[in-house]
Amino acid sequence: MDRVVFETVRVSLRVSLSAVVLAGVVALPLGAVVALTQFAGRRGVVRLMNAMMSLPPVVVGLVIYLLLSRTGPLGVTGLLFTPTAMIIAQCVLVFP
């Protein structure tokens, strides 16, 4: 019944649930379009999605770190080591 433990669990649940909801809002409609329609490049999109599903979480974390670090292209946002950065990384993992 420690306050710090409850705060840690609260932040973890907020980050995970936010990532699932945000990725689902975008990924579910796109997945339906890919599954139900025929279009040029569909095989490539399916291959890309399959490749994204096989990405190790460490690789995704490193890519997000490089993007958000001070010298990275998104470093000016100051998001590194924040819950928002964790949500972004988890969205990338959940999206496929």
Side-chain angles (χ1 to χ4, degrees):
M1 296 305 222
D2 189 13
R3 184 182 176 292
V4 175
V5 172
F6 281 119
E7 180 63 22
T8 304
V9 170
R10 187 187 69 76
V11 170
S12 295
L13 288 174
R14 183 177 66 94
V15 166
S16 296
L17 291 174
S18 297
V20 168
V21 168
L22 289 173
V25 165
V26 177
L28 289 174
L30 288 177
V33 168
V34 170
L36 299 175
T37 61
Q38 296 293 326
F39 55 90
R42 181 176 182 271
R43 288 179 59 189
V45 171
V46 171
R47 286 183 181 149
L48 177 66
M49 289 188 320
N50 286 332
M52 286 179 66
M53 282 192 282
S54 67
L55 281 176
V58 172
V59 172
V60 173
L62 287 172
V63 169
I64 299 299
Y65 174 80
L66 290 173
L67 288 172
L68 297 178
S69 66
R70 267 191 288 168
T71 57
L74 301 175
V76 295
T77 60
L79 292 175
L80 192 61
F81 303 122
T82 64
T84 304
M86 292 187 290
I87 291 171
I88 292 168
Q90 286 188 12
C91 279
V92 173
L93 286 171
V94 172
F95 186 80

